[in-house]
Structure formats: structure tokens, C-alpha cells
Amino acid sequence: MIFTGEHYYLGLIQAALAVFYVLFGVFVAGRSRVLDRVGAWLIGAYLLMYKFNEYGPFRAVPVDLSAVSYFLFGVAAFVPFRPLKAAGSFSAMLSGSIYFFTMILYPEMHVENLLNDRWFLLTMAMVNHNIMFFGGMLVCAECRFGRTDYVWMLGWMAFYLAYFQLVTVGYGITEGVTTIGEIVDGTLVAEVLGVPLTAAYYAVYYIVVILALALIFVLFRCINSVFMRRKDRNKPRFLSYADMRPAWESLFRC
């Protein structure tokens, strides 16, 4: 459990990084458009190159939410299509948050799930999840997401869950399934709490998961709104060409 296992220091490291992200978001993110955009580009390029090497043709199939989010965010960082950036930013921050939560709460799970070269894999998993979350936060600080963009986020989550069921249940592919698989079937929380997998447990569990996901959407929107209010304070007061462009063009700008 939290800070009590043999590898408790991993949870402490992750908790310290989470505090850093909060401070960065409060004092730095959203204040420089160049910093936000270039930072997202660098992170997107790194994730695409690293993960294309890992999930190259005929090597492995990305199944876990984090594995799929690496590619989604990597593409979204470069493509000037705001709904895609919304889905990529949300997925990156959600994947990173799940990793943060489980690493802080139960770091032994991350160590036990690895076999050969586990310390290298553990280090890279922590690095990749953290920089992906960081990149998602930079995109969230750069782009103003509206109501229609949140429909894309919901659509992306629905698509991913359908994809997850297809490759795991339909095709029996389990490679790379870690945290998200245990969250979907409820075993992660049951193991942490030490409760049996009963019908009553599943009823309560999925209600809580749906409410938690709704809360995450609200929190993401609040974070984006805070970043945009900061951007508006530095925006010129006169009417610009960007304000007069057709509505469809807004899909391609932040």
C-alpha cells in the first residue's frame, strides 16, 4: 500500500513530480505560446520515435491506454486540428494521471508486473508517462477547447474501449495490458482494498468509475479554462483577423 512496500521511494518520487506539475501549471504553463508549442512538439517527436521503434511492424500491438495515447498525442502535437489536440491532450493527461495514482498508491504493482530488464523498463515507463502528461498539459495550456471538442474526447474514449475489447476479447491479445485491463475488470481496486469480486462490488465499482470519469472531464475543462483566462489577460484588446475568420477555420487553430 502507499509508502509501505519495499519500493515506497518510487511513490515518493512520483508524488514529488506531481507537485512539480502543479507548480509548473500555476506559474509557467500558458504564459508563453512558443514554450508550450515547442515543448509539445519535442515531446511528441520523442514519443513517436521511441514507440514506433517499440511497436514496429510485426513486433507488438499497442493495447494499454498509455500505449495508444503515446501515438495519439504524438500525432496531435503536430497536426493543426483542434479536436484532435483536445482528444490527445485529454488522453495523455488521463493516462499519466492513472499512472501517477497507481505508482503513488501501490508501486509494488509496477515492479511485480515486470520480468526481464525490469529496472530499465520501469525507468522508461516512468519517464514516458511523465513526459506524456507534461506534453498533454502544454497542449491544454495552448489551445482553447470548446463544447464540441469535449464530444471528441468522449468519442475517443468510446473508440478506445471498443478497440480494447476487440483486441483483448476478440483477438486474445494481452501483450502490454497492465493497469487499464485491471481497471476495466475491477481487479486493481479489489486487490488494493482486499475485497472479493462480487456482484455488489461490481455495481458500486462501475458507478464510482463513471462518476470519477465525469469528474475528470470537469477537472480537465476547469484546468483549460484557467489557462485560457491567463491567455486572455495577455490578448490584445482590439479586434484581430483571427476573430473574424469563418467558424470552420477555428477547427484548425487554438
Side-chain angles (χ1 to χ4, degrees):
M1 195 60 177
I2 184 168
F3 305 149
T4 59
E6 178 184 356
H7 302 92
Y8 69 92
Y9 55 89
L10 296 174
L12 289 174
I13 293 173
Q14 188 58 72
L17 289 171
V19 172
F20 165 76
Y21 296 137
V22 172
L23 295 176
F24 187 90
V26 171
F27 296 106
V28 181
R31 298 185 183 278
S32 171
R33 187 181 183 88
V34 174
L35 174 64
D36 296 337
R37 181 166 295 184
V38 173
W41 285 348
L42 291 175
I43 292 173
Y46 163 77
L47 291 177
L48 285 177
M49 289 187 294
Y50 187 95
K51 291 302 173 177
F52 268 124
N53 180 65
E54 181 178 351
Y55 293 97
F58 309 109
R59 291 183 183 177
V61 177
V63 178
D64 195 53
L65 177 61
S66 297
V68 179
S69 297
Y70 291 135
F71 294 102
L72 177 67
F73 174 78
V75 173
F78 293 98
V79 177
F81 187 57
R82 198 189 64 252
L84 179 62
K85 290 183 179 294
S89 175
F90 176 77
S91 189
M93 295 184 71
L94 176 62
S95 301
S97 298
I98 293 174
Y99 184 86
F100 298 168
F101 177 77
T102 55
M103 177 60 80
I104 294 171
L105 184 66
Y106 197 42
E108 306 304 324
M109 179 189 68
H110 291 272
V111 178
E112 292 169 358
N113 286 336
L114 301 174
L115 298 175
N116 300 324
D117 298 325
R118 67 177 187 175
W119 288 112
F120 171 77
L121 295 175
L122 181 67
T123 301
M124 294 311 299
M126 180 173 282
V127 169
N128 291 336
H129 279 89
N130 277 274
I131 66 171
M132 180 170 63
F133 177 89
F134 190 66
M137 182 172 64
L138 292 177
V139 173
C140 183
E142 177 191 357
C143 296
R144 186 188 306 273
F145 300 135
R147 293 180 180 179
T148 56
D149 299 320
Y150 288 88
V151 175
W152 281 72
M153 296 180 200
L154 286 170
W156 160 248
M157 293 306 301
F159 170 82
Y160 169 73
L161 291 175
Y163 166 80
F164 178 82
Q165 291 296 318
L166 176 65
V167 297
T168 56
V169 179
Y171 291 95
I173 298 174
T174 58
E175 183 176 1
V177 179
T178 53
T179 305
I180 192 63
E182 295 175 324
I183 290 176
V184 170
D185 62 20
T187 56
L188 174 63
V189 175
E191 180 181 353
V192 172
L193 298 179
V195 297
L197 299 173
T198 62
Y201 165 78
Y202 278 116
V204 174
Y205 174 75
Y206 285 118
I207 291 174
V208 172
V209 168
I210 293 173
L211 292 176
L213 187 59
L215 179 62
I216 290 172
F217 270 98
V218 172
L219 181 60
F220 182 82
R221 184 166 188 175
C222 290
I223 293 172
N224 183 247
S225 298
V226 170
F227 283 137
M228 292 308 104
R229 283 198 295 270
R230 178 182 299 171
K231 179 183 290 188
D232 289 340
R233 286 197 295 267
N234 300 323
K235 187 177 180 180
R237 298 301 178 183
F238 55 85
L239 188 65
S240 66
Y241 168 70
D243 299 317
M244 298 182 291
R245 283 189 289 185
W248 66 270
E249 288 191 21
S250 67
L251 295 175
F252 303 96
R253 60 184 174 89
C254 290

